[in-house]
Amino acid sequence: MEMTRYTDKELVELVRQSLQATHTDWSSQVAAQRVAAFDYYYGELPAVTQKNTSDHVSRDVFDAVESVREKLLRVFTSGRRVVRFAPMSEDDVEAALARTKYVEAIVMKRNAGYTLLQSAFQDALLQKICCVKRYWKTEVVQTPKTFTAPEEVVREAMAQGLDVTEVSDITEQVVPVPTAQGIMPMAVKMASGTAMEAEDRSRVVIEVVPPEDMFIDGAAETLEKARFFAVRWRKSRAQLIAEGFPYDIVAGLSSTDSLADDAVDNARRSFDASTAQDDAADELALLTGYEAYIYLDAETPKGEDAGEATLWQIIVCGDQVLAKEPVAEAPFRFWSPIHIAHKPIGMSYADVSMDIQRTNSHAVRGIIDNVYRVNAGLRIANLSILRNPRDLIDNPIGGVIDSPDPMAVSVIPQPAISSATGLLLELLSAEKEARTGDTRLAKGMENQAVITHQNSEGMIDRLMNASNERVMGLARAFAETCWAPLMLDVYRLGYENDYQVPIEVGGRYQPWSPKMAEYSEDCEVSVALTPEEGAKHAQRLLAISNVMAADPELAPLYGAKERYAVMSQVFDLLGEPNWLCDPATEEGQMRMAQAAQQKALAMQMEMQKAGAPMAKAQADAAHKQHSLALDALQKADQQALKEAEFQWQRETDKAEIKLESQQKRPVAIDRPKSRAG
C-alpha cells in the first residue's frame, strides 16, 4: 500500500523527530538512570572519595536484582504450567492441553526460553522495562546434495525446475529395470552430480530487545496508547539482503548513528570493556536502523485535514526508507516491574536500592578504615633521633624501631567505632527488604527472630511464604501482562502459518499444528505460581476428590472423566507428567471396558466364593435331615416289629392254652426266628 500524504524523505524526518521526542532516547533522564544502574550493579559506584581509604562496595543493587530474578525464573521454569489454555468444553480438554504444550515447545525449546526469561527479567529489574518481540520469520535454506540417477530422470527434473549446479559424470551401468516381462537387467546411462535442495526453516521467532534500543512516545499514558515507538537495530548489508531488501538499495546505505556511541550500551559493556567494534569488511560492517511504528493518515492528500490514522510500520536506515506497510499491531510485549499509573515505564529495583548501596558502602568503608587505623595508626615521632626512619614508615608487625629514646615514638589514639554502626547496618538491611520485598528469610538465610522464638517448621514455612508475597506479585503481574499475551501471540502466529511442532498428543509424540483443533484464545494464569503453592493446591483438590468419591449421592456424578480432570490438574500443579490415559480416547475407553469386565468377573468369583459356605451348610442340613428321616423310619420299623412280635406272642399263648385244654397236658409251640436275628 502506497502513501499519498507523505514522501519517503518526509517519513525519515518524521521518524527522527519522533525519536527525539521520546523520553527514552540517549539524552533523556531515563538513559542517565540506566547508566547509573549498570554502574551500581557492577560495583563501580559509589566511588572512593579519599585516597588511601577502603574501596569496599556493598552490592545491594546486584543482590536485589539477582535474587528476585532467580525467584521469578523458578516460577516460570520449574516444570509447571503457569499459563495454560483453558478447555472450551468437556470435549476440548485434550485439545487445550495440546495448545499449551505446542506454545511451550515453541517458546521454551525452539527459542531458548530459559535464556529469554533471564534476559527479560534482568532488563526489567535493572533497566525499568523489558521488551519481547515475536514474529514469523520466513526462511528457505539451499543445501547442496549429491545425487546419482538415470540421465533421463535428471533432465526431466531440471526441466521442472530442479536446481542442478553440476553434473560431474555420466556412466553406463547395468541396473534392474521393471518391464512387462518382469524386472530385467538393462544398460542405463546414470548421471551423478550436485543439486541444491530447498529446506523450509520458517518459524516463530522470539527475541528480547535491549531497553536502550527501545523508544517510546513520551506523552503516552500506557504502552498500549503510545502513538509512536521504535526499536533500533544493527545489521550488516548481508543480513539485510538475506531478509529480502533490494541489493541496489542496501548497497548505497550509510548510517552515522552508531550503537557504540550510546551511553547505556557503553555502560552495559563497561565491566569488561567489551565494546562492539565494526567489522573491516564493507559487506560485514554494521548499519544502524530503526523499526518504527507510528499512527499516520496515509491516504488523505496533502493540504487537506488529516483523517483517521492507522498504524504503520516504517523501517528506516540512514536517509532511506527500506519498507513501509500498514499493520494491525506492533509485535512487542512489555513489562515494567514497579508499575506507575499513567506512565508507560515504571521503576526498576535498581532505582529503589542505589541509595542504600551508597549508604551501606560508606558505612562499611568507615568500619574497615577504622580497623586499619587502629592496627596501623598515625604516629608522632622525633625523626632526628631515629636511626632508621623506614622502620617507622613500613610499620612491620612485630618489628623493632631502633631509637635511643624510649619515648620517641607514640601512637595517636583512634576513636572507637560508634555503637550505632551495627544498628545503622541493620536499619539499612530492613529498609532494603521493605523496598524490594526480598527478605533474608525468603532467601533461606538465618534470621535471629526465627531461631530465638524456636518456631515450628510449619510456622517457618508460613513466614517464608509471607515474605515472598511481593515477589509473587511481580510474577503474577508478569504472567498476566506479558507472558500470557505472548503465549497467545505465538499461538496465533502458529495458527496463521500452519506451523507444526512435535509434541506429545494422546500418549504419542507427533507433529501438531493449531489447525488440527478448534481455534481458541481462552488462556488463563495458574492460581498457584510457586511449587509450594502448587503442592498445597494439589492437596486441597485431592481432599475434595476424596470427599466427593465417598459421598453416596455425589459418587454417581463423579465419574472417570471428572476424576481424570482433577488428577490432571494435580499433576500439573506438582509439575509432574500426567501418566494417566484419557478416558475420552479410544484407548482409554478400551481400558475402562476391560477394567469393567475384570471387575464383573471378580465380583462373580467373590459371590461364588461367598456362596460356597452357604451351599455346604445347605448340603449339611439336607444330609442331617435325611439322616433324621432314616432314623425315624428305622425306629418306626422297630416299633412295628415289636408290636408284631407282641401280637404273635399273644396269639401263640392263646393257641397253647387252647391245646392244653384239649390235650390236658402242657404244650409249647415253637416260635419263629426274629427278623433281627
Side-chain angles (χ1 to χ4, degrees):
M1 180 179 178
E2 291 296 329
M3 288 187 177
T4 59
R5 190 175 181 86
Y6 298 96
T7 64
D8 285 356
K9 184 176 181 181
E10 290 173 336
L11 287 177
V12 172
E13 186 61 28
L14 181 61
V15 169
R16 286 179 177 173
Q17 292 176 1
S18 300
L19 287 171
Q20 294 174 359
T22 62
H23 63 349
T24 52
D25 70 334
W26 45 85
S27 61
S28 67
Q29 183 67 23
V30 171
Q33 292 170 351
R34 287 173 172 169
V35 170
F38 272 119
D39 290 340
Y40 277 89
Y41 178 82
Y42 289 141
E44 297 173 355
L45 290 179
V48 178
T49 58
Q50 186 178 357
K51 292 183 178 181
N52 299 325
T53 58
S54 171
D55 60 354
H56 170 81
V57 176
S58 177
R59 297 293 187 92
D60 294 276
V61 172
F62 176 88
D63 177 67
V65 171
E66 291 303 310
S67 179
V68 174
R69 180 172 73 161
E70 288 306 313
K71 291 178 182 178
L72 292 176
L73 282 172
R74 182 167 175 258
V75 170
F76 289 92
T77 61
S78 59
R80 298 177 55 256
R81 294 187 172 94
V82 176
V83 177
R84 65 170 65 88
F85 283 83
M88 297 182 293
S89 64
E90 186 178 288
D91 299 328
D92 192 51
V93 175
E94 188 69 25
L97 181 59
R99 294 185 199 103
T100 305
K101 291 181 178 179
Y102 172 80
V103 174
E104 287 177 347
I106 293 176
V107 176
M108 302 304 295
K109 297 179 181 179
R110 297 296 179 95
N111 285 278
Y114 190 88
T115 304
L116 185 147
L117 284 170
Q118 271 188 320
S119 300
F121 289 145
Q122 188 181 62
D123 283 346
L125 296 170
L126 188 62
Q127 300 286 284
K128 303 177 182 290
I129 195 171
C130 67
C131 175
V132 182
K133 181 182 180 182
R134 78 289 184 279
Y135 59 95
W136 175 258
K137 182 178 182 179
T138 302
E139 183 179 12
V140 178
V141 178
Q142 299 287 340
T143 306
K145 298 288 185 180
T146 59
F147 66 87
T148 300
E151 183 182 13
E152 294 181 358
V153 175
V154 173
R155 293 187 182 281
E156 183 180 353
M158 292 174 63
Q160 295 178 356
L162 177 66
D163 187 6
V164 178
T165 59
E166 180 185 3
V167 177
S168 58
D169 191 19
I170 297 178
T171 60
E172 191 172 284
Q173 300 179 12
V174 178
V175 297
V177 177
T179 64
Q181 290 77 26
I183 298 178
M184 303 290 292
M186 296 180 64
V188 178
K189 288 186 176 181
M190 301 294 290
S192 299
T194 305
M196 300 302 293
E197 182 181 25
E199 180 183 358
D200 187 3
R201 295 185 182 177
S202 301
R203 63 196 185 277
V204 177
V205 178
I206 306 173
E207 300 172 342
V208 177
V209 179
E212 63 267 22
D213 292 341
M214 185 176 58
F215 303 88
I216 302 173
D217 177 15
E221 291 187 0
T222 62
L223 292 169
E224 291 75 16
K225 295 181 180 180
R227 303 290 296 175
F228 171 85
F229 48 90
V231 170
R232 180 172 49 185
W233 47 259
R234 297 188 80 204
K235 297 178 182 179
S236 66
R237 287 182 172 84
Q239 288 177 297
L240 294 174
I241 293 172
E243 292 178 4
F245 295 107
Y247 176 82
D248 55 342
I249 296 179
V250 173
L253 290 177
S254 63
S255 174
T256 57
D257 182 8
S258 174
L259 284 173
D261 298 330
D262 184 68
V264 180
D265 184 69
N266 290 338
R268 184 188 295 275
R269 302 171 184 273
S270 64
F271 184 72
D272 54 3
S274 58
T275 304
Q277 299 292 335
D278 289 341
D279 297 280
D282 183 66
E283 64 272 14
L284 298 179
L286 298 179
L287 303 174
T288 301
Y290 295 89
E291 181 181 336
Y293 294 83
I294 186 170
Y295 282 89
L296 296 172
D297 174 17
E299 298 180 355
T300 304
K302 286 180 177 294
E304 298 183 12
D305 294 338
E308 183 179 358
T310 57
L311 184 63
W312 280 75
Q313 179 199 59
I314 303 173
I315 300 179
V316 175
C317 183
D319 295 329
Q320 293 288 332
V321 175
L322 298 183
K324 54 184 177 182
E325 62 176 338
V327 293
E329 61 177 355
F332 304 104
R333 293 295 174 185
F334 307 93
W335 179 63
S336 191
I338 302 178
H339 175 71
I340 298 177
H342 312 299
K343 278 180 89 299
I345 297 180
M347 298 175 65
S348 68
Y349 269 45
D351 291 333
V352 299
S353 55
M354 283 189 286
D355 62 326
I356 293 178
Q357 179 164 322
R358 282 197 303 271
T359 309
N360 259 331
S361 298
H362 290 312
V364 175
R365 286 174 183 175
I367 297 174
I368 296 173
D369 290 342
N370 184 272
V371 172
Y372 278 132
R373 286 166 178 162
V374 168
N375 292 334
L378 295 175
R379 283 168 291 280
I380 302 174
N382 186 356
L383 298 180
S384 63
I385 63 174
L386 292 178
R387 292 188 176 90
N388 186 10
R390 174 60 61 183
D391 293 338
L392 185 63
I393 297 173
D394 293 343
N395 193 25
I397 297 177
V400 177
I401 297 176
D402 189 5
S403 171
D405 185 0
M407 302 301 295
V409 178
S410 62
V411 178
I412 299 177
Q414 296 294 320
I417 297 176
S418 172
S419 59
T421 303
L423 179 62
L424 173 62
L425 294 176
E426 183 62 29
L427 177 64
L428 292 172
S429 178
E431 180 74 12
K432 176 185 172 185
E433 292 179 359
R435 293 186 188 182
T436 63
D438 183 36
T439 66
R440 286 169 291 181
L441 184 60
K443 296 177 184 177
M445 299 173 64
E446 289 187 7
N447 187 287
Q448 190 62 33
V450 174
I451 298 174
T452 303
H453 292 82
Q454 298 180 352
N455 291 306
S456 65
E457 181 180 356
M459 176 61 73
I460 293 176
D461 288 340
R462 286 194 291 272
L463 290 172
M464 292 185 68
N465 290 334
S467 63
N468 277 324
E469 284 297 324
R470 180 80 65 82
V471 179
M472 290 306 100
L474 289 178
R476 185 163 297 280
F478 178 78
E480 294 283 358
T481 61
C482 183
W483 200 239
L486 179 65
M487 298 271 279
L488 285 174
D489 294 340
V490 171
Y491 173 74
R492 281 195 294 265
L493 288 172
Y495 185 88
E496 293 168 358
N497 296 278
D498 196 14
Y499 182 43
Q500 292 191 358
V501 173
I503 62 171
E504 183 186 358
V505 180
R508 293 181 298 174
Y509 198 72
Q510 59 186 357
W512 193 87
S513 167
K515 290 194 174 182
M516 294 180 179
E518 187 178 355
Y519 184 81
S520 171
E521 292 191 0
D522 192 1
C523 201
E524 62 184 13
V525 178
S526 174
V527 295
L529 296 179
T530 63
E532 293 79 13
E533 290 177 341
K536 290 181 179 179
H537 192 59
Q539 291 177 356
R540 290 196 295 269
L541 287 178
L542 289 174
I544 295 173
S545 176
N546 294 334
V547 170
M548 295 179 68
D551 193 320
E553 295 183 358
L554 294 178
L557 304 177
Y558 190 56
K561 287 185 177 181
E562 291 74 19
R563 287 189 177 91
Y564 174 79
V566 171
M567 292 307 300
S568 298
Q569 182 77 359
V570 169
F571 281 126
D572 189 37
L573 289 168
L574 295 176
E576 299 291 343
N578 187 355
W579 298 286
L580 296 177
C581 181
D582 189 352
T585 62
E586 182 178 352
E587 183 180 358
Q589 293 176 359
M590 182 179 65
R591 290 188 184 183
M592 291 177 63
Q594 292 176 351
Q597 292 176 358
Q598 292 177 358
K599 185 177 180 180
L601 181 61
M603 290 180 62
Q604 184 178 0
M605 294 179 63
E606 287 293 331
M607 291 177 63
Q608 291 177 355
K609 185 177 179 180
M614 184 179 297
K616 184 176 183 302
Q618 291 177 352
D620 292 343
H623 178 69
K624 187 175 182 181
Q625 186 176 4
H626 182 65
S627 300
L628 291 174
L630 290 176
D631 291 343
L633 289 174
Q634 186 177 4
K635 289 180 180 180
D637 289 344
Q638 290 176 356
Q639 184 66 28
L641 179 60
K642 288 180 180 180
E643 290 180 355
E645 289 177 348
F646 177 76
Q647 188 66 27
W648 173 260
Q649 183 64 38
R650 184 178 177 184
E651 294 296 331
T652 301
D653 290 342
K654 287 181 179 181
E656 287 178 349
I657 293 172
K658 185 177 179 179
L659 287 174
E660 285 179 355
S661 63
Q662 290 176 356
Q663 297 180 7
K664 303 298 185 177
R665 63 179 182 84
V667 177
I669 300 175
D670 294 335
R671 295 182 176 88
K673 293 182 179 181
S674 173
R675 293 181 184 178

